[in-house]
Amino acid sequence: TQGRLIATHLDSWVFVVMPGFALKDEINTTINAVQLEKALKGAKNDIILAQDGHDIKVVSEGFKVTLNGLPSEDYPQSPTLKITNSLTLDSEKFLAAITRLTYSTIKEDYSSLSGVHIIVSPTGLEMASTDGSRLSRYRDKCVLPPSSSPEQSFEVTIPASYLDKFVKSLKGTKDSNVLLEVTEDWASLKMANVTFLVKTLQTQYPRYNHLIPEYSTCKYSLTF
């Protein structure tokens, strides 16, 4: 049996597929996320979920709790997406790059400086972040197929706080790829059984490349 969790605060959505859950009957309700997390932490071994009206009963070995719920019809509808661009990325490289790039962003801000800017072009993938004092850039020329064309190019700025949560939620996941899909104002990141849907930042990202000296112009360099 397969379950599905959906969580949102409107600017971001998380969809989680839960294979192998034992369900007594179909479940379709809305539960407080904090209460559900506490209940699942208290459960042991196999977990059984059962719906009673709008409430949920969580049952496992020596453990039983009932969580008050609300009608699922009251829950916001997830946005309908019209995908304009997509790219499959190596998960190990992408997650490692995001971990480093989120360091150079402004936290809890809605300006472009709170995001990671992603550029996809026929020459490859580039990601950058800056808070005005620090600047980080990542490049990978091997992510696109040889047939890539300028029509496949796109740019998007994703809030770093959501990318950081995406990385943390996937620790231990063995899926080798991340699928990045982009619409006019949303970005979707899919890996394993987790999908993050995030509203993108629409402000103009600062021009940063002229601040980074080219290796050919450097008098000294250090490789480590």
Side-chain angles (χ1 to χ4, degrees), residues 192-207:
N193 295 320
V194 179
T195 300
F196 267 62
L197 182 59
V198 180
K199 203 159 192 179
T200 55
L201 298 173
Q202 298 299 311
T203 55
Q204 179 66 42
Y205 201 76
R207 296 181 179 179

Side-chain angles (χ1 to χ4, degrees), residues 1-7 13-21 23 27-29 36 49 75 78-79 190 193-195 197:
T1 305
Q2 181 170 282
R4 187 167 181 248
L5 286 177
I6 303 174
W13 293 75
V14 183
F15 306 88
V16 181
V17 175
M18 305 176 298
F21 257 65
L23 305 177
I27 290 179
N28 189 10
T29 188
L36 180 60
L49 301 180
Y75 201 76
S78 59
K190 298 180 181 179
N193 295 320
V194 179
T195 300
L197 182 59

